[in-house]
Amino acid sequence: MITWQKLARLTLEHLTLSLSAVLLAIAVAVPAGILLSRSRRLADPVITVVGLFQTLPAIALLAFMIPLMGIGTKPALTALFLYALLPILSNTCKGLLGVDPSVKEAARGMGMTPLQMLLTVELPLAFRVIMSGIRTSTVLIIGWATLGAYVGAGGLGEPIVSGYAMVSPKLILAGGVPVTLMALLADFLLGRLERKVTPRGLQV
Amino acid sequence: MELMQELATYVSAHWPRLLGLTVQHLKLALTAVFYGVLVGVPIGYVISRYRKLAEPVLWVANALQTIPALALIGFVMLFLGLSPATGIFCLFVYTLMPIIRSTHTAIISLDPALIEAAEGMGMTRWQILRIVQLPLALAVMMVGIRLAVVMSIGTASIMSLGGAGGLGSEIFAGIDRVQDKMILAGALPAALLAIFADLGMGALERWLTPRGLRQA
C-alpha cells in the first residue's frame, strides 16, 4: 500500500514545509515583536489584528489561498506562515514587556545603550517566553501542515487525505502515526530547549 | 470581484442549507466544549488540591493536544465510526488542555488569606468552593473556556471528514470540485463564527469578573 521510501519522502516533505513556515514566522515575528514591545499602545491593536488570523479555521485559511495562489507548496507555506505568526509575536511582546522594570533601570544606570540593554538584558530574560511561543507554533504547524495535502503541497497529509477519500483506516494511520510522533517529538525537544535557555537565575 | 458576485448569487440560492450547516457547526463545537467543561473543570480542581497529580495530568492533556487533528479523526474513527460522535469526541479532547490548565491556575492563584478567612468564618469545604473559590476563579477559568470555544469552532471545520457535517462539508466539497465560491461560502461563515464567539466570550469573561477584581 505505501512503501517505506515513500513514507520517508513524505516525512521529509512534511518536516521541510513545517520548518520553513516556522522559520519564516520567527524571522518576521521576533523583530516585529521587539518593535511592538517598545510601544504598549501599538502592541495591543496589532496583536488583536494578527489574532484574527488565528481565529480563522486552518482549513479555511488554506482554502482561501487557492483562489489567490493556486495549488502547490506556495499557498500551503503562506497559510502556515500566517498561522505561525501569532504565538511567536505575542509571546515576544509579552516576554519583553514582562521584564522587571527595576532590572531595566539598573541596566540604564550602568550606562547601557538601548541596543545593549535589549541584547544583553531584555532578550535573555524574555527568551524562555519567546521559546514557548515558538514551541506552540511549531507543534501547531506540524499538525496543520497535514492539511497542505489538500492544496497539493504533499507531506504526511497525503496518505491521510487519500485514506479519508478511500475510507482506508490503514492509509490514515500510515500518515497519522508518524505525524503524531513528529508533533510529540517536536514538543518534547523544544520543551527541553526552553528549559535549557532559561537563565540560571530564573530556573526553578 | 467576479468571485464576490458569484459568491453572492451562490449564497442567495443556497442560504437555507448554509444556515443549516452553520447551526450544525456551532452545535458540534459547543457540545464538545460542554463535555470539556463537565470533565475538565473537576479535573482541574482536583489537581489543584492534590498537587502531585498536577504535573502528570497536565502532561497527558498537553500530549493529547499535540496530536494533529487530521490524524486524531482517523484514530477516533476506528472506534466510533463515521458519525457526529467522532467529531464531538475529537473536539472534546482538544478542549481538555485549556480548560484543565486554566481551572488549575485559577484555583492555585487564589489568595490563601481569603480561604483562611472563609474557614475562620466557619464555612464548610463545599461552601468555600461554591461561595469563595468558584466566583473568584471564574474569570480566569473563562479564559480557558473561551480558548476552547474558539479552537473548537475552528477545528470543527475539518470534522466533516469524520462524518460530523458542519461548514467543513461545504469547504471540502468546494476543494474537491475546484469551486472557489463554495470554499468561501463555507470558510467565511466559519471564520465569522469564530470571531463572534471570541468577542462574545470576551464580553462574558468581563461580565463574570467580580466587581472588586475588575481593572478600571
Side-chain angles (χ1 to χ4, degrees), chain A residues 55-57 63-64 150 164 169 173 187, chain B residues 62 70 73-75 183-184 191 194:
Chain A
T55 55
L56 282 178
F64 281 143
Y150 278 103
Y164 282 119
L173 291 182
D187 187 53
Chain B
N62 177 55
L70 207 57
I73 301 172
F75 302 151
I183 297 177
L184 289 176

Side-chain angles (χ1 to χ4, degrees), chain A residues 107-177:
Chain A
R108 208 172 298 132
M110 285 168 71
M112 285 192 186
T113 64
L115 186 66
Q116 277 177 323
M117 251 172 72
L118 181 70
L119 292 179
T120 58
V121 179
E122 292 175 87
L123 275 181
L125 285 175
F127 216 62
R128 196 182 59 85
V129 185
I130 300 176
M131 272 309 297
S132 118
I134 293 175
R135 177 181 174 196
T136 309
S137 276
T138 310
V139 173
L140 212 66
I141 293 310
I142 290 179
W144 288 132
T146 49
L147 293 176
Y150 278 103
V151 297
L156 287 166
E158 224 173 70
I160 303 183
V161 166
S162 1
Y164 282 119
M166 302 193 267
V167 201
S168 152
K170 260 194 224 156
L171 271 179
I172 299 180
L173 291 182
V177 172

Side-chain angles (χ1 to χ4, degrees), chain B residues 173-193:
Chain B
I175 295 177
D176 279 346
R177 295 178 210 168
V178 203
Q179 287 288 335
D180 293 342
K181 58 178 187 232
M182 287 179 80
I183 297 177
L184 289 176
L188 282 178
L192 288 178
L193 218 50

Side-chain angles (χ1 to χ4, degrees), chain B residues 191-201:
Chain B
L192 288 178
L193 218 50
I195 291 170
F196 282 120
D198 192 36
L199 292 175
M201 294 296 288

Side-chain angles (χ1 to χ4, degrees), chain B residues 77-97:
Chain B
M77 227 161 66
L78 291 178
F79 300 99
L80 296 177
L82 208 59
S83 75
T86 299
I88 293 172
F89 188 81
C90 290
L91 294 178
F92 160 76
V93 167
Y94 291 127
T95 61
L96 286 177
M97 175 68 181

